[in-house]
Amino acid sequence: MILGSQIGMGTLHMGSLLDRAASKEVVAEAIDQGVRFFDTAPLYGNQLAEEFLGEALLGQTADVVVCTKVGLRVFERKDKRFGVEVAKLNEATLRQSVEASLKRLRRDSIDVLLLHAFDPHTPLVETLEGLEKLYQEGKIKSFGCSNYNPQQLKLLLKCKRPFPPFRAAQCHYNMIERRASRFFIPACSEKGVAVVVNRALARGTLSGQYVLGQPFAPSSRVAMSPRIQKWLTPEKFKLIDELSSIAKENKASLLQISLQWLLKNHQQMVVLLGVRGKEQLRACLAASRREIDDSIFEQIEKTITAEHHVYENPPRYFEK
């Protein structure tokens, strides 16, 4: 199976919403349930996610695929809040980041190293030369990209020089945010590059937990994120409410339909689950296995495609 399993686990919450012990429990549960792809990054979980994932995988005998990233760093804004910026992807940065990640992950090699964002200041050939050296040394097995727009992806796909296997490209994609289907996903499919999907549930809004007219739970993602609140416009809320009604009429849940839409329509894809605990993980995995009649998807498709804004989301490929 491509990249170990079609369902993968994201580790964004390890180190922030999940402590060390909870992270270990979730990873063990994921492996028990057949998940074999784990996605992380040096910045995730208050910069603790790699360390927590590495510890959680110690002693596990399953053959898993570990994907981490390079190329983003934290900086302090003028308003004292923290943001992220693109680092120069030269050989020195690549080597320093990879070696630090290997220590935190407690591994000898990184299965998939993603360039976390496009670096416009370093020649692409220089970045690829740096990756090639790390590949020859056995420190990475393959590479890919994340947060690239179609033009940036084209540059990478056109490069002819020998470099590590280009295995994966990560992007936002879900049932109601389909911009990636215009070029990004077809281009990857043509070249045999796996698409790793984050925001599979549209920032939690396709999980079915948010109901039109009802207050958000204080612990929910949307309650804690002004960015999600801004994104969740009345038009999107109306669409999600309509999709929930279709699911209910067909004795299914919005969560089941959202995950099955991805899995049934895109076989060469890894769908990441960014869960906050074992219960969420179990619910998502159970939903991903539910058989959904194709007639439901026909209803869903008519409702979604009637909304002209659907294919224009997300508004940008890289949201800092």
Side-chain angles (χ1 to χ4, degrees), residues 81-99:
R81 296 177 62 188
F82 288 95
V84 296
E85 61 184 3
V86 179
K88 288 189 176 182
L89 289 173
N90 52 35
E91 181 182 349
T93 299
L94 291 167
R95 183 172 297 279
Q96 181 181 24
S97 182
V98 164
E99 291 180 349

Side-chain angles (χ1 to χ4, degrees), residues 100-158:
S101 289
L102 287 172
K103 288 180 181 179
R104 288 189 290 265
L105 290 166
R106 304 191 185 193
R107 298 178 77 81
D108 297 324
S109 183
I110 293 168
D111 298 310
V112 187
L113 179 71
L114 300 186
L115 306 176
H116 209 161
F118 184 78
D119 171 18
H121 303 295
T122 305
L124 183 57
V125 67
E126 184 178 337
T127 299
L128 295 177
E129 286 173 350
L131 290 172
E132 189 173 2
K133 290 179 181 179
L134 292 168
Y135 175 68
Q136 291 170 345
E137 295 169 14
K139 293 184 177 180
I140 65 171
K141 296 179 181 177
S142 65
F143 89 107
C145 63
S146 176
N147 295 312
Y148 275 42
N149 64 35
Q151 291 72 33
Q152 293 161 353
L153 178 65
K154 280 181 183 178
L155 292 175
L156 199 54
L157 291 174
K158 284 181 179 178

Side-chain angles (χ1 to χ4, degrees), residues 49-70:
E50 284 186 323
E51 179 183 332
F52 283 14
L53 177 62
E55 290 185 12
L57 290 174
L58 284 178
Q60 293 286 349
T61 58
D63 187 14
V64 300
V65 175
V66 174
C67 171
T68 192
K69 305 177 183 73
V70 57

Side-chain angles (χ1 to χ4, degrees), residues 15-36:
S16 54
L17 300 177
L18 292 172
D19 63 17
R20 198 178 301 267
S23 298
K24 187 174 183 178
E25 289 180 358
V26 172
V27 169
E29 179 71 21
I31 291 175
D32 287 345
Q33 296 259 5
V35 175
R36 295 293 182 268

Side-chain angles (χ1 to χ4, degrees), residues 189-206:
S189 298
E190 182 182 344
K191 297 294 185 179
V193 175
V195 176
V196 179
V197 172
N198 56 40
R199 203 180 287 176
L201 296 176
R203 315 181 206 210
T205 58
L206 290 178

Side-chain angles (χ1 to χ4, degrees), residues 83-313:
V84 296
E85 61 184 3
V86 179
K88 288 189 176 182
L89 289 173
N90 52 35
E91 181 182 349
T93 299
L94 291 167
R95 183 172 297 279
Q96 181 181 24
S97 182
V98 164
E99 291 180 349
S101 289
L102 287 172
K103 288 180 181 179
R104 288 189 290 265
L105 290 166
R106 304 191 185 193
R107 298 178 77 81
D108 297 324
S109 183
I110 293 168
D111 298 310
V112 187
L113 179 71
L114 300 186
L115 306 176
H116 209 161
F118 184 78
D119 171 18
H121 303 295
T122 305
L124 183 57
V125 67
E126 184 178 337
T127 299
L128 295 177
E129 286 173 350
L131 290 172
E132 189 173 2
K133 290 179 181 179
L134 292 168
Y135 175 68
Q136 291 170 345
E137 295 169 14
K139 293 184 177 180
I140 65 171
K141 296 179 181 177
S142 65
F143 89 107
C145 63
S146 176
N147 295 312
Y148 275 42
N149 64 35
Q151 291 72 33
Q152 293 161 353
L153 178 65
K154 280 181 183 178
L155 292 175
L156 199 54
L157 291 174
K158 284 181 179 178
C159 199
K160 300 298 184 183
R161 66 167 283 107
F163 52 81
F166 183 14
R167 292 187 67 190
Q170 188 170 140
C171 66
H172 297 164
Y173 188 60
N174 56 61
M175 198 162 62
I176 65 172
E177 292 185 296
R178 304 191 190 181
R179 176 172 282 193
S181 66
R182 293 275 178 93
F183 169 83
F184 196 96
I185 292 174
C188 289
S189 298
E190 182 182 344
K191 297 294 185 179
V193 175
V195 176
V196 179
V197 172
N198 56 40
R199 203 180 287 176
L201 296 176
R203 315 181 206 210
T205 58
L206 290 178
S207 65
Q209 62 179 308
Y210 306 126
V211 180
L212 187 64
Q214 294 187 9
F216 304 130
S219 61
S220 66
R221 287 183 64 191
V222 67
M224 295 188 290
S225 173
R227 176 180 285 179
I228 299 179
Q229 293 169 22
K230 183 178 180 180
W231 177 86
L232 193 54
T233 61
E235 291 78 16
K236 289 194 183 75
F237 227 141
K238 178 177 177 291
L239 174 60
I240 291 166
D241 189 53
E242 291 174 358
L243 298 178
S244 295
S245 296
I246 293 173
K248 187 175 181 180
E249 289 168 6
N250 289 277
K251 298 181 180 180
S253 70
L254 183 57
L255 176 63
Q256 292 167 342
I257 288 173
S258 300
L259 290 176
Q260 281 295 323
W261 182 85
L262 286 167
L263 296 169
K264 291 184 73 171
N265 290 301
H266 307 89
Q267 297 300 313
Q268 300 302 306
M269 181 177 284
V270 177
V271 178
L272 293 180
L273 302 177
V275 298
R276 299 184 177 194
K278 289 196 297 184
E279 294 308 313
Q280 270 194 349
L281 176 67
R282 288 168 180 163
C284 287
L285 289 174
S288 72
R289 294 165 183 152
R290 164 75 188 273
E291 288 295 324
I292 302 291
D293 190 88
D294 287 342
S295 62
I296 300 178
F297 291 109
E298 293 173 7
Q299 290 179 269
I300 290 288
E301 203 64 17
K302 288 179 181 179
T303 301
I304 290 175
T305 53
E307 304 290 339
H308 69 277
H309 66 272
V310 168
Y311 283 87
E312 302 311 316
N313 280 303

